[in-house]
Amino acid sequence: MRNIIVFTTLCLLAFSSCKKNQIPISSPEDPIDTIKVPIDTPPVSTHIIDLGKGFALNNGVVWSPPFEAWYHHKTTHRFYFFAKNINSYLSYESFGIQDIPCIVGKYPIEYPVGINDLHNLIPQAYFSYIRDYDTPVGDFRADTTRTDHFVEIIRYDSVEQTVEGRFQVFLKKEPMNTYWPNIPDSIAMTEGRFHLKIKKP
């Protein structure tokens, strides 16, 4: 009787440890996948900056006041953008690029010499310092000795009326009679980028 019990126990152990579809136990040398990717991982944005934002380095210093974009009067073929940095109640500085085509591409920035240059689809840039609320103490235009100015449109959506791009411009102070301390002779607006909704005038 004792032999029958021992034999039955051995058979049960043998059958229970040898299932037909059993997955083999991995040895310590087997690689284990420990990378876990959350199922709700958001897609990576392909935009260079958030919608409604603009940015540049102004002589190497971060400059990111509110940016706005507008179509030129009676057209949706070209636009301009500008930003105003208010330093105090009576003091501000403004920057803008105008006459930009609403077409993906990279465009040089010119120094305008006549009225016709203001609507020839070749962008122009400016930077101004204003003190005592209405006194210009520094007007800057593109430095004509340089050829590395540009504004680049990387996306334009005519339905949503949004535009996204980059810019770089080096500006030189225009001669003027008004003197104000601490106004630089030149301004380098570098690493510029924008992503804006274009408004209609």
mmCIF file of all heavy atoms in Angstrom, residues 64-89:
data_model
loop_
_atom_site.group_PDB
_atom_site.id
_atom_site.type_symbol
_atom_site.label_atom_id
_atom_site.label_comp_id
_atom_site.label_asym_id
_atom_site.label_seq_id
_atom_site.Cartn_x
_atom_site.Cartn_y
_atom_site.Cartn_z
ATOM 1 N N SER A 64 11.673 88.810 -25.330
ATOM 2 C CA SER A 64 10.448 88.103 -25.728
ATOM 3 C C SER A 64 9.190 88.802 -25.209
ATOM 4 O O SER A 64 8.388 88.191 -24.505
ATOM 5 C CB SER A 64 10.484 86.651 -25.245
ATOM 6 O OG SER A 64 10.656 86.609 -23.836
ATOM 7 N N PRO A 65 9.011 90.082 -25.562
ATOM 8 C CA PRO A 65 7.739 90.733 -25.229
ATOM 9 C C PRO A 65 6.628 90.172 -26.111
ATOM 10 O O PRO A 65 6.888 89.350 -26.992
ATOM 11 C CB PRO A 65 8.016 92.204 -25.549
ATOM 12 C CG PRO A 65 9.033 92.151 -26.631
ATOM 13 C CD PRO A 65 9.893 90.955 -26.332
ATOM 14 N N PRO A 66 5.392 90.598 -25.906
ATOM 15 C CA PRO A 66 4.306 90.101 -26.767
ATOM 16 C C PRO A 66 4.527 90.466 -28.237
ATOM 17 O O PRO A 66 4.835 91.605 -28.559
ATOM 18 C CB PRO A 66 3.064 90.806 -26.209
ATOM 19 C CG PRO A 66 3.419 91.150 -24.801
ATOM 20 C CD PRO A 66 4.894 91.437 -24.812
ATOM 21 N N PHE A 67 4.389 89.474 -29.119
ATOM 22 C CA PHE A 67 4.497 89.662 -30.568
ATOM 23 C C PHE A 67 3.091 89.645 -31.171
ATOM 24 O O PHE A 67 2.228 88.904 -30.708
ATOM 25 C CB PHE A 67 5.316 88.532 -31.197
ATOM 26 C CG PHE A 67 6.801 88.712 -31.152
ATOM 27 C CD1 PHE A 67 7.479 88.822 -29.944
ATOM 28 C CD2 PHE A 67 7.543 88.747 -32.332
ATOM 29 C CE1 PHE A 67 8.857 88.961 -29.910
ATOM 30 C CE2 PHE A 67 8.920 88.887 -32.306
ATOM 31 C CZ PHE A 67 9.582 89.007 -31.096
ATOM 32 N N GLU A 68 2.897 90.436 -32.236
ATOM 33 C CA GLU A 68 1.645 90.427 -32.994
ATOM 34 C C GLU A 68 1.963 90.413 -34.479
ATOM 35 O O GLU A 68 3.000 90.946 -34.897
ATOM 36 C CB GLU A 68 0.802 91.671 -32.694
ATOM 37 C CG GLU A 68 0.225 91.734 -31.301
ATOM 38 C CD GLU A 68 -0.695 92.933 -31.124
ATOM 39 O OE1 GLU A 68 -1.197 93.465 -32.137
ATOM 40 O OE2 GLU A 68 -0.912 93.335 -29.973
ATOM 41 N N ALA A 69 1.063 89.815 -35.257
ATOM 42 C CA ALA A 69 1.212 89.805 -36.721
ATOM 43 C C ALA A 69 -0.076 90.339 -37.346
ATOM 44 O O ALA A 69 -1.174 90.034 -36.875
ATOM 45 C CB ALA A 69 1.508 88.400 -37.226
ATOM 46 N N TRP A 70 0.078 91.111 -38.419
ATOM 47 C CA TRP A 70 -1.049 91.716 -39.125
ATOM 48 C C TRP A 70 -0.814 91.622 -40.627
ATOM 49 O O TRP A 70 0.318 91.753 -41.099
ATOM 50 C CB TRP A 70 -1.192 93.195 -38.758
ATOM 51 C CG TRP A 70 -1.598 93.442 -37.341
ATOM 52 C CD1 TRP A 70 -0.797 93.386 -36.218
ATOM 53 C CD2 TRP A 70 -2.898 93.788 -36.872
ATOM 54 N NE1 TRP A 70 -1.521 93.674 -35.101
ATOM 55 C CE2 TRP A 70 -2.816 93.930 -35.462
ATOM 56 C CE3 TRP A 70 -4.125 93.993 -37.501
ATOM 57 C CZ2 TRP A 70 -3.912 94.265 -34.680
ATOM 58 C CZ3 TRP A 70 -5.227 94.330 -36.719
ATOM 59 C CH2 TRP A 70 -5.110 94.460 -35.326
ATOM 60 N N TYR A 71 -1.902 91.408 -41.371
ATOM 61 C CA TYR A 71 -1.813 91.554 -42.821
ATOM 62 C C TYR A 71 -1.670 93.036 -43.136
ATOM 63 O O TYR A 71 -2.193 93.897 -42.420
ATOM 64 C CB TYR A 71 -3.076 91.021 -43.503
ATOM 65 C CG TYR A 71 -3.198 89.521 -43.512
ATOM 66 C CD1 TYR A 71 -4.164 88.883 -42.732
ATOM 67 C CD2 TYR A 71 -2.363 88.739 -44.306
ATOM 68 C CE1 TYR A 71 -4.290 87.501 -42.745
ATOM 69 C CE2 TYR A 71 -2.484 87.363 -44.323
ATOM 70 C CZ TYR A 71 -3.441 86.746 -43.535
ATOM 71 O OH TYR A 71 -3.559 85.379 -43.554
ATOM 72 N N HIS A 72 -0.976 93.330 -44.240
ATOM 73 C CA HIS A 72 -0.924 94.709 -44.706
ATOM 74 C C HIS A 72 -2.298 95.115 -45.224
ATOM 75 O O HIS A 72 -3.144 94.261 -45.529
ATOM 76 C CB HIS A 72 0.146 94.868 -45.796
ATOM 77 C CG HIS A 72 1.540 94.951 -45.250
ATOM 78 N ND1 HIS A 72 2.085 96.105 -44.758
ATOM 79 C CD2 HIS A 72 2.492 93.992 -45.102
ATOM 80 C CE1 HIS A 72 3.327 95.888 -44.361
ATOM 81 N NE2 HIS A 72 3.596 94.594 -44.545
ATOM 82 N N HIS A 73 -2.504 96.397 -45.334
ATOM 83 C CA HIS A 73 -3.802 96.951 -45.700
ATOM 84 C C HIS A 73 -4.288 96.402 -47.051
ATOM 85 O O HIS A 73 -3.550 96.405 -48.040
ATOM 86 C CB HIS A 73 -3.697 98.474 -45.758
ATOM 87 C CG HIS A 73 -5.004 99.173 -45.983
ATOM 88 N ND1 HIS A 73 -6.061 99.035 -45.126
ATOM 89 C CD2 HIS A 73 -5.412 99.994 -46.972
ATOM 90 C CE1 HIS A 73 -7.072 99.757 -45.567
ATOM 91 N NE2 HIS A 73 -6.709 100.350 -46.696
ATOM 92 N N LYS A 74 -5.517 95.884 -47.068
ATOM 93 C CA LYS A 74 -6.198 95.413 -48.276
ATOM 94 C C LYS A 74 -5.491 94.263 -49.001
ATOM 95 O O LYS A 74 -5.578 94.139 -50.218
ATOM 96 C CB LYS A 74 -6.412 96.573 -49.257
ATOM 97 C CG LYS A 74 -7.361 97.635 -48.733
ATOM 98 C CD LYS A 74 -7.594 98.712 -49.776
ATOM 99 C CE LYS A 74 -8.581 99.750 -49.273
ATOM 100 N NZ LYS A 74 -8.818 100.822 -50.267
ATOM 101 N N THR A 75 -4.788 93.438 -48.276
ATOM 102 C CA THR A 75 -4.150 92.282 -48.902
ATOM 103 C C THR A 75 -3.938 91.180 -47.871
ATOM 104 O O THR A 75 -3.793 91.459 -46.680
ATOM 105 C CB THR A 75 -2.795 92.648 -49.533
ATOM 106 O OG1 THR A 75 -2.230 91.479 -50.155
ATOM 107 C CG2 THR A 75 -1.804 93.157 -48.503
ATOM 108 N N THR A 76 -3.948 89.941 -48.359
ATOM 109 C CA THR A 76 -3.561 88.809 -47.509
ATOM 110 C C THR A 76 -2.354 88.096 -48.128
ATOM 111 O O THR A 76 -2.077 86.947 -47.810
ATOM 112 C CB THR A 76 -4.733 87.811 -47.348
ATOM 113 O OG1 THR A 76 -5.176 87.398 -48.649
ATOM 114 C CG2 THR A 76 -5.877 88.422 -46.571
ATOM 115 N N HIS A 77 -1.642 88.811 -49.003
ATOM 116 C CA HIS A 77 -0.450 88.250 -49.651
ATOM 117 C C HIS A 77 0.839 88.586 -48.914
ATOM 118 O O HIS A 77 1.882 87.985 -49.189
ATOM 119 C CB HIS A 77 -0.345 88.733 -51.097
ATOM 120 C CG HIS A 77 -1.498 88.300 -51.948
ATOM 121 N ND1 HIS A 77 -1.764 86.981 -52.217
ATOM 122 C CD2 HIS A 77 -2.469 89.007 -52.579
ATOM 123 C CE1 HIS A 77 -2.838 86.891 -52.977
ATOM 124 N NE2 HIS A 77 -3.290 88.102 -53.208
ATOM 125 N N ARG A 78 0.779 89.527 -48.009
ATOM 126 C CA ARG A 78 1.965 89.908 -47.242
ATOM 127 C C ARG A 78 1.532 90.359 -45.854
ATOM 128 O O ARG A 78 0.383 90.756 -45.645
ATOM 129 C CB ARG A 78 2.767 91.002 -47.951
ATOM 130 C CG ARG A 78 2.003 92.263 -48.229
ATOM 131 C CD ARG A 78 2.733 93.170 -49.235
ATOM 132 N NE ARG A 78 2.009 94.418 -49.429
ATOM 133 C CZ ARG A 78 2.359 95.587 -48.894
ATOM 134 N NH1 ARG A 78 3.439 95.663 -48.142
ATOM 135 N NH2 ARG A 78 1.648 96.672 -49.108
ATOM 136 N N PHE A 79 2.455 90.262 -44.905
ATOM 137 C CA PHE A 79 2.122 90.600 -43.523
ATOM 138 C C PHE A 79 3.336 91.230 -42.855
ATOM 139 O O PHE A 79 4.437 91.296 -43.416
ATOM 140 C CB PHE A 79 1.680 89.343 -42.755
ATOM 141 C CG PHE A 79 2.814 88.421 -42.375
ATOM 142 C CD1 PHE A 79 3.361 88.444 -41.102
ATOM 143 C CD2 PHE A 79 3.349 87.532 -43.302
ATOM 144 C CE1 PHE A 79 4.412 87.610 -40.754
ATOM 145 C CE2 PHE A 79 4.398 86.690 -42.972
ATOM 146 C CZ PHE A 79 4.932 86.729 -41.693
ATOM 147 N N TYR A 80 3.120 91.701 -41.652
ATOM 148 C CA TYR A 80 4.219 92.204 -40.834
ATOM 149 C C TYR A 80 4.014 91.738 -39.397
ATOM 150 O O TYR A 80 2.900 91.383 -39.001
ATOM 151 C CB TYR A 80 4.326 93.733 -40.891
ATOM 152 C CG TYR A 80 3.138 94.485 -40.334
ATOM 153 C CD1 TYR A 80 3.126 94.942 -39.017
ATOM 154 C CD2 TYR A 80 2.017 94.747 -41.124
ATOM 155 C CE1 TYR A 80 2.038 95.644 -38.507
ATOM 156 C CE2 TYR A 80 0.930 95.444 -40.625
ATOM 157 C CZ TYR A 80 0.949 95.887 -39.311
ATOM 158 O OH TYR A 80 -0.131 96.572 -38.812
ATOM 159 N N PHE A 81 5.095 91.705 -38.634
ATOM 160 C CA PHE A 81 4.963 91.426 -37.206
ATOM 161 C C PHE A 81 5.780 92.451 -36.440
ATOM 162 O O PHE A 81 6.720 93.052 -36.962
ATOM 163 C CB PHE A 81 5.378 89.989 -36.855
ATOM 164 C CG PHE A 81 6.839 89.691 -36.968
ATOM 165 C CD1 PHE A 81 7.732 90.028 -35.954
ATOM 166 C CD2 PHE A 81 7.341 89.049 -38.095
ATOM 167 C CE1 PHE A 81 9.085 89.734 -36.057
ATOM 168 C CE2 PHE A 81 8.686 88.743 -38.203
ATOM 169 C CZ PHE A 81 9.565 89.094 -37.181
ATOM 170 N N PHE A 82 5.384 92.666 -35.197
ATOM 171 C CA PHE A 82 6.110 93.608 -34.352
ATOM 172 C C PHE A 82 5.949 93.198 -32.898
ATOM 173 O O PHE A 82 5.081 92.399 -32.538
ATOM 174 C CB PHE A 82 5.610 95.043 -34.564
ATOM 175 C CG PHE A 82 4.219 95.287 -34.068
ATOM 176 C CD1 PHE A 82 3.987 95.742 -32.777
ATOM 177 C CD2 PHE A 82 3.127 95.045 -34.881
ATOM 178 C CE1 PHE A 82 2.701 95.952 -32.318
ATOM 179 C CE2 PHE A 82 1.834 95.259 -34.433
ATOM 180 C CZ PHE A 82 1.621 95.716 -33.145
ATOM 181 N N ALA A 83 6.814 93.762 -32.064
ATOM 182 C CA ALA A 83 6.763 93.525 -30.622
ATOM 183 C C ALA A 83 7.157 94.809 -29.912
ATOM 184 O O ALA A 83 7.996 95.572 -30.408
ATOM 185 C CB ALA A 83 7.711 92.397 -30.235
ATOM 186 N N LYS A 84 6.528 95.055 -28.784
ATOM 187 C CA LYS A 84 6.835 96.249 -27.985
ATOM 188 C C LYS A 84 7.191 95.811 -26.573
ATOM 189 O O LYS A 84 6.418 95.116 -25.915
ATOM 190 C CB LYS A 84 5.647 97.200 -27.958
ATOM 191 C CG LYS A 84 5.916 98.480 -27.159
ATOM 192 C CD LYS A 84 4.676 99.356 -27.036
ATOM 193 C CE LYS A 84 4.364 100.046 -28.331
ATOM 194 N NZ LYS A 84 3.271 101.038 -28.183
ATOM 195 N N ASN A 85 8.369 96.226 -26.121
ATOM 196 C CA ASN A 85 8.843 95.918 -24.774
ATOM 197 C C ASN A 85 8.735 97.187 -23.931
ATOM 198 O O ASN A 85 9.481 98.144 -24.139
ATOM 199 C CB ASN A 85 10.290 95.421 -24.820
ATOM 200 C CG ASN A 85 10.769 94.924 -23.474
ATOM 201 O OD1 ASN A 85 10.014 94.323 -22.722
ATOM 202 N ND2 ASN A 85 12.024 95.173 -23.163
ATOM 203 N N ILE A 86 7.791 97.211 -23.006
ATOM 204 C CA ILE A 86 7.571 98.396 -22.174
ATOM 205 C C ILE A 86 8.477 98.311 -20.951
ATOM 206 O O ILE A 86 8.351 97.394 -20.132
ATOM 207 C CB ILE A 86 6.090 98.511 -21.759
ATOM 208 C CG1 ILE A 86 5.224 98.632 -23.013
ATOM 209 C CG2 ILE A 86 5.879 99.694 -20.824
ATOM 210 C CD1 ILE A 86 3.736 98.621 -22.758
ATOM 211 N N ASN A 87 9.391 99.271 -20.850
ATOM 212 C CA ASN A 87 10.332 99.289 -19.731
ATOM 213 C C ASN A 87 9.765 100.021 -18.526
ATOM 214 O O ASN A 87 10.044 99.683 -17.390
ATOM 215 C CB ASN A 87 11.649 99.945 -20.153
ATOM 216 C CG ASN A 87 12.311 99.192 -21.286
ATOM 217 O OD1 ASN A 87 12.405 97.972 -21.246
ATOM 218 N ND2 ASN A 87 12.750 99.898 -22.312
ATOM 219 N N SER A 88 8.999 101.058 -18.765
ATOM 220 C CA SER A 88 8.343 101.816 -17.710
ATOM 221 C C SER A 88 7.186 102.568 -18.354
ATOM 222 O O SER A 88 6.945 102.458 -19.554
ATOM 223 C CB SER A 88 9.322 102.788 -17.038
ATOM 224 O OG SER A 88 9.660 103.841 -17.928
ATOM 225 N N TYR A 89 6.506 103.378 -17.554
ATOM 226 C CA TYR A 89 5.353 104.107 -18.078
ATOM 227 C C TYR A 89 5.743 105.031 -19.226
ATOM 228 O O TYR A 89 4.973 105.227 -20.157
ATOM 229 C CB TYR A 89 4.713 104.910 -16.940
ATOM 230 C CG TYR A 89 3.539 105.746 -17.393
ATOM 231 C CD1 TYR A 89 2.348 105.144 -17.801
ATOM 232 C CD2 TYR A 89 3.624 107.130 -17.433
ATOM 233 C CE1 TYR A 89 1.273 105.896 -18.224
ATOM 234 C CE2 TYR A 89 2.550 107.892 -17.862
ATOM 235 C CZ TYR A 89 1.373 107.274 -18.254
ATOM 236 O OH TYR A 89 0.315 108.026 -18.682
#
